[in-house]
Amino acid sequence: MKPTSGPEEARRSASDIRVFASNCSMHGLGHVFGPGSLSLRRGMWAAAVVLSVATFLYQVAERVRYYREFHHQTALDERESHRLVFPAVTLCNINPLRRSRLTPNDLHWAGSALLGLDPAEHPTFLRALGRPPAPPGFMPSPTFDMAQLYARAGHSLDDMLLDCRFRGEPCGPENFTTIFTRMGKCYTFNSGADGAELLTTTRGGMGNGLDIMLDVQQEEYLPVWRDNEETPFEVGIRVQIHSQEEPPIIDQLGLGVSPGYQTFVSCQQQQLSFLPPPWGDCSSASLNPNYEPEPSDPLSSPSPSLPYTLMGCRLACETRYVARKCGCRMMYMPGDAPVCSPQQYKNCAHPAIDAMLRKDSCACPNPCASTRYAKELSMVRIPSRAAARFLARKLNRSEAYIAENVLALDIFFEALNYETVEQKKAYEMSELLGDIGGQMGLFIGASLLTILEILDYLCEVFRDKVLGYFWNRRHSQRHSSTNLTSHPSLCCHQDSLRLPPHLLPCHTALGLLSVSSEPHPDILDMPSLHVAFPSSPQIKS
């Protein structure tokens, strides 16, 4: 065999554990694998290194386990602003339908569903409304639309709104948007609908927000005929202050404002930010504006999506539930499904919604980003004795009517600052890597480059021990084949006979080695091999 070449020696020295231990930046390895025989000092160093590595691995496992628990923390901060977007304000009269706008046809179709009336009670109810009963031969309409009923018979803002000012400037019904809720026909100020510019305010305090005076029109309230879940016993309006992206759920979240009082609502904006899974449970998935239970046409172009809100998710859930169960939607629900008939309202839609609210069947997570408004209320009585006569002349109403029907509402920001409530990751990936690096330096005196050194050493060991074994074996086989095919006795025998190679005598142990120029993998290097053939007479040409 040839002596080991220089590159092979360098490769073997690189894969030597003693050479690696003396050059590695990891502390303690040089004392464990250094030159010399086994001693107590070397054993103590080996125990110290093993203990340090075990402690380091335990600390790393604990840090990784803590990171995978995905803890979060909540940060509360207060920030100032020079200008704030004024919230949307939705108003609903507690009375859903005006008595003066109901007709015998309305009672025929919706009297039982909305008022609990039997057909035999319709004439009595009409007389209680101050209306004549249905004439003889009355024929109801072939169809009936609940949405048209609420749009026609609901309270009109033109009649209710007595005065309106925003930041001291006059406003009117044109600044409100009509919207339908479960309470009927409602109106939203500063809704931003149809791309309208949102109103802002630059100062806090009274007089720098929305100031309105409303007439609740008690004379238009329907008489309470029978006690049911939909019967209102109070008088006034319901108010919900919300962001423009959030649909109003005023029957559940609205504030009550009573006539005969001026109500002050001081607001403070709160911006909430939550984390998605696995750190939290928020959602930022867009809502389907059509609220269809299933896509009608998968090839049709998708509709523009709505931003995710908690109230929007609940409304979508209710819409899909009613659409699946009843095959229709209630008049305040969005979508393309047909509006439920009065009979469907009574027998299916109302019971389904009530059961759904009791069971809390809608699993709606918090939005990842949302805006809400903290509110503080205070109120004073109006009008005073000194102002009653003046208001009676101004509004052309009696003093008793003003005391029973008129209310004032002031909504404003307490100050031009807002609160931020933000969820943050309690343990970031950078902190995990920092902790691992600190534990690595403390216990084994290593760094990231030390890991690269270990990987480089393992590559050298693999190349030297594994790949080197196969390379040496292949080289040995080639060397043996070359020695056998170049033996002098075989070459002389072929030359003396001067025969074609296929006519030469062939020993069974040699095969066709004398003919083939390729090395045979099954024959080892045998320098002492000698083959003798009997002499034969020379063949003359």
Side-chain angles (χ1 to χ4, degrees):
M1 296 293 292
K2 294 182 179 180
T4 306
S5 61
E8 292 181 0
E9 290 181 354
R11 185 172 67 250
R12 291 187 177 182
S13 63
S15 63
D16 192 346
I17 185 63
R18 290 173 296 181
V19 176
F20 169 74
S22 62
N23 297 325
C24 182
S25 59
M26 180 177 173
H27 295 179
L29 287 184
H31 298 281
V32 177
F33 298 100
S37 61
L38 183 63
S39 62
L40 177 62
R41 176 176 175 270
R42 178 172 297 187
M44 294 179 63
W45 270 108
V49 170
V50 171
L51 181 62
S52 298
V53 171
T55 306
F56 162 69
L57 294 177
Y58 172 77
Q59 293 293 334
V60 169
E62 283 295 312
R63 290 292 85 194
V64 172
R65 180 192 61 80
Y66 181 77
Y67 175 79
R68 291 184 62 82
E69 289 177 355
F70 303 109
H71 295 279
H72 69 265
Q73 58 188 4
T74 303
L76 177 63
D77 191 15
E78 187 168 345
R79 302 177 184 177
E80 294 188 1
S81 177
H82 299 290
R83 182 183 297 271
L84 287 178
V85 175
F86 198 75
V89 180
T90 300
L91 312 170
C92 295
N93 200 311
I94 292 179
N95 180 62
L97 299 171
R98 291 179 289 178
R99 63 194 301 170
S100 62
R101 297 303 178 96
L102 289 181
T103 65
N105 188 65
D106 298 332
L107 293 182
H108 172 81
W109 284 101
S112 176
L114 301 181
L115 305 174
L117 296 176
D118 296 328
E121 297 175 321
H122 289 178
T124 307
F125 187 81
L126 287 172
R127 283 193 292 269
L129 298 179
R131 307 287 300 277
F138 166 73
M139 292 295 294
S141 61
T143 59
F144 190 79
D145 191 339
M146 290 287 289
Q148 293 182 2
L149 169 64
Y150 279 96
R152 171 173 50 84
H155 286 267
S156 173
L157 189 63
D158 294 332
D159 301 330
M160 290 195 302
L161 189 62
L162 302 178
D163 188 38
C164 177
R165 292 183 179 274
F166 179 75
R167 294 177 57 188
E169 298 294 330
C171 55
E174 66 276 3
N175 299 109
F176 291 78
T177 303
T178 303
I179 185 174
F180 289 94
T181 69
R182 196 173 183 184
M183 295 188 65
K185 190 177 182 180
C186 303
Y187 304 91
T188 301
F189 177 81
N190 196 32
S191 66
D194 301 327
E197 183 179 359
L198 298 179
L199 301 176
T200 60
T201 181
T202 57
R203 295 178 59 186
M206 289 186 296
N208 295 288
L210 178 64
D211 302 333
I212 57 175
M213 183 176 288
L214 295 172
D215 181 2
V216 299
Q217 300 178 315
Q218 277 204 67
E219 76 280 0
E220 291 285 4
Y221 276 44
L222 294 176
V224 178
W225 196 258
R226 186 172 285 107
D227 185 11
N228 56 45
E229 294 182 0
E230 302 294 329
T231 302
F233 295 101
E234 62 272 17
V235 60
I237 64 171
R238 297 288 288 272
V239 182
Q240 183 178 352
I241 301 172
H242 55 96
S243 64
Q244 281 75 16
E245 294 82 11
E246 190 172 18
I249 310 294
I250 198 166
D251 59 303
Q252 302 177 35
L253 304 177
L255 305 172
V257 181
S258 175
Y261 291 90
Q262 182 172 5
T263 303
F264 303 93
V265 183
S266 174
C267 302
Q268 184 180 33
Q269 187 182 92
Q270 295 177 336
Q271 295 184 2
L272 310 179
S273 178
F274 298 99
L275 291 174
W279 292 271
D281 59 351
C282 78
S283 174
S284 57
S286 301
L287 296 174
N288 180 10
N290 295 325
Y291 299 91
E292 297 176 352
E294 295 179 357
S296 56
D297 185 5
L299 300 179
S300 61
S301 59
S303 303
S305 57
L306 300 176
Y308 178 86
T309 61
L310 183 60
M311 295 298 106
C313 175
R314 290 182 180 177
L315 184 60
C317 180
E318 294 175 4
T319 302
R320 294 190 184 98
Y321 184 79
V322 173
R324 291 191 184 104
K325 191 172 183 63
C326 307
C328 59
R329 63 180 177 90
M330 303 178 78
M331 55 92 187
Y332 66 89
M333 295 177 174
D336 299 329
V339 178
C340 296
S341 66
Q343 199 66 24
Q344 288 175 316
Y345 256 81
K346 179 182 178 181
N347 298 334
C348 184
H350 277 306
I353 289 295
D354 292 338
M356 190 176 188
L357 294 178
R358 285 193 299 268
K359 296 179 181 179
D360 195 16
S361 303
C362 294
C364 290
N366 289 321
C368 293
S370 62
T371 301
R372 70 181 183 188
Y373 298 90
K375 297 170 281 291
E376 294 182 0
L377 277 71
S378 60
M379 58 188 65
V380 295
R381 285 189 60 86
I382 61 167
S384 64
R385 291 181 180 178
R389 186 172 298 179
F390 171 77
L391 285 178
R393 291 196 305 266
K394 179 181 178 181
L395 302 178
N396 195 22
R397 298 287 194 274
S398 65
E399 295 181 14
Y401 183 90
I402 292 175
E404 293 182 355
N405 292 275
V406 176
L407 61 86
L409 177 63
D410 296 347
I411 301 174
F412 54 89
F413 282 118
E414 180 181 358
L416 286 187
N417 55 25
Y418 60 95
E419 291 183 351
T420 59
V421 181
E422 183 179 4
Q423 281 187 352
K424 296 182 178 180
K425 300 175 184 178
Y427 199 58
E428 297 274 3
M429 175 61 73
S430 59
E431 296 175 293
L432 174 63
L433 296 178
D435 285 347
I436 293 177
Q439 302 290 345
M440 186 185 300
L442 175 63
F443 289 104
I444 60 177
S447 65
L448 181 62
L449 295 181
T450 306
I451 299 177
L452 297 180
E453 290 178 354
I454 296 174
L455 295 177
D456 179 69
Y457 169 70
L458 295 178
C459 291
E460 291 293 337
V461 170
F462 177 79
R463 188 175 67 173
D464 183 27
K465 302 300 183 182
V466 179
L467 298 183
Y469 168 76
F470 290 104
W471 185 86
N472 290 334
R473 182 178 178 183
R474 184 178 181 184
H475 178 73
S476 176
Q477 291 175 353
R478 287 185 176 182
H479 184 69
S480 301
S481 302
T482 303
N483 291 339
L484 184 60
T485 54
S486 60
H487 195 277
S489 61
L490 295 179
C491 297
C492 294
H493 183 71
Q494 179 180 357
D495 293 340
S496 61
L497 294 178
R498 294 183 182 180
L499 293 175
H502 67 277
L503 296 180
L504 287 175
C506 180
H507 195 278
T508 57
L510 297 179
L512 295 177
L513 287 177
S514 59
V515 185
S516 174
S517 62
E518 295 295 329
H520 198 286
D522 296 329
I523 298 180
L524 302 177
D525 185 11
M526 301 172 62
S528 59
L529 179 66
H530 178 74
V531 180
F533 295 96
S535 59
S536 59
Q538 186 175 2
I539 303 175
K540 296 182 180 181
S541 56

